[in-house]
Amino acid sequence: DADVTQTPRNRITKTGKRIMLECSQTKGHDRMYWYRQDPGLGLRLIYYSFDVKDINKGEISDGYSVSRQAQAKFSLSLESAIPNQTALYFCATSEQGRGADNEQFFGPGTRLTVL
Amino acid sequence: KNQVEQSPQSLIILEGKNCTLQCNYTVSPFSNLRWYKQDTGRGPVSLTIMTFSENTKSNGRYTATLDADTKQSSLHITASQLSDSASYICVVSRGWANNLFFGTGTRLTVIP
């Protein structure tokens, strides 16, 4: 997962603040994803992008927005952070084609705490 | 409802022992099932993938089985090592990259 990097790794912020989480990849993959992981729940998809001009909502997109600045970069923003957005956030990438047979490669995660 | 359930939630075993983790799913249509290993503070890493026609798949000391009729999968770890301590996540796909269903994971702790 060194090919997929996330910054910051940890962030503590206050309610109402705007936060941006960044993801970069050197795998050359077209497809990128943002997930959140909460204790006792499986990973849930927030947004995904199949190429630079493509942005799609996932299961839990409310309160989040994304930007695909380049093939290698996919950022997640919380416009006005709230405490229930406290979670572990993962970026992932996969190759184009062959649908879900393609393995998703995950970054190391960003632990976000909203006070 | 498409769901993936894993058991047990947590497991502690002695180094060198074997263990089996379970995954039951109701996802339909079924495309494939992956087992991921997630070390503490790291992202998940794929261990195995199985499609509908595959009954078993091995990756070193990890062996996954799939019974598509009963919608059950298991991950068997042989001769456990301390480095096997991690969460193991079962992920079922309906056939699209944006349509994955994640289990909540089994937290395995291997003690000396």
Side-chain angles (χ1 to χ4, degrees):
Chain A
D1 59 353
D3 300 318
V4 184
T5 57
Q6 293 183 232
T7 56
R9 293 295 312 278
N10 289 282
R11 181 71 184 269
I12 300 174
T13 190
K14 295 181 178 180
T15 297
K17 294 292 187 180
R18 184 178 188 275
I19 295 297
M20 179 180 287
L21 309 182
E22 299 192 10
C23 176
S24 294
Q25 53 115 346
T26 59
K27 301 187 76 68
H29 289 168
D30 288 316
R31 299 182 174 190
M32 299 187 74
Y33 314 81
W34 275 105
Y35 292 91
R36 65 177 280 176
Q37 186 177 41
D38 298 275
L41 297 177
L43 274 77
R44 292 180 292 168
L45 183 63
I46 305 172
Y47 270 96
Y48 62 99
S49 169
F50 284 174
D51 65 42
V52 176
K53 299 178 181 178
D54 179 72
I55 299 291
N56 303 282
K57 293 183 177 180
E59 177 187 356
I60 53 165
S61 59
D62 288 348
Y64 302 95
S65 63
V66 292
S67 174
R68 184 80 184 269
Q69 303 95 319
Q71 186 203 39
K73 296 185 182 296
F74 192 36
S75 60
L76 176 71
S77 294
L78 287 68
E79 297 302 324
S80 180
I82 56 177
N84 76 1
Q85 291 177 313
T86 293
L88 190 55
Y89 289 84
F90 287 101
C91 174
T93 74
S94 69
E95 291 181 343
Q96 186 179 37
R98 294 201 299 141
D101 289 348
N102 290 341
E103 178 181 352
Q104 291 193 12
F105 295 84
F106 288 83
T110 294
R111 184 167 296 282
L112 176 66
T113 303
V114 183
L115 302 177
Chain B
K1 186 177 180 181
N2 294 297
Q3 287 185 312
V4 177
E5 296 183 348
Q6 294 187 241
S7 62
Q9 282 190 322
S10 61
L11 182 62
I12 301 174
I13 62 173
L14 291 173
E15 185 179 11
K17 298 295 185 182
N18 303 336
C19 67
T20 300
L21 313 180
Q22 300 290 344
C23 173
N24 296 335
Y25 62 92
T26 59
V27 178
S28 182
F30 174 87
S31 177
N32 62 60
L33 183 149
R34 282 187 187 275
W35 282 93
Y36 279 86
K37 178 186 179 187
Q38 183 177 14
D39 292 310
T40 300
R42 304 286 294 275
V45 176
S46 179
L47 293 174
T48 63
I49 177 173
M50 288 179 292
T51 59
F52 184 88
S53 59
E54 296 176 296
N55 300 119
T56 186
K57 184 72 71 75
S58 291
N59 178 359
R61 295 179 297 101
Y62 300 101
T63 299
T65 64
L66 173 65
D67 185 334
D69 291 332
T70 62
K71 298 186 176 181
Q72 296 180 325
S73 176
S74 65
L75 181 68
H76 186 75
I77 304 175
T78 303
S80 61
Q81 299 177 358
L82 298 179
S83 60
D84 292 331
S85 294
S87 289
Y88 292 84
I89 302 172
C90 176
V91 184
V92 181
S93 167
R94 293 180 65 189
W96 302 274
N98 57 311
N99 217 196
L100 303 180
F101 295 87
F102 290 78
T104 56
T106 292
R107 177 68 200 177
L108 175 65
T109 303
V110 181
I111 59 176

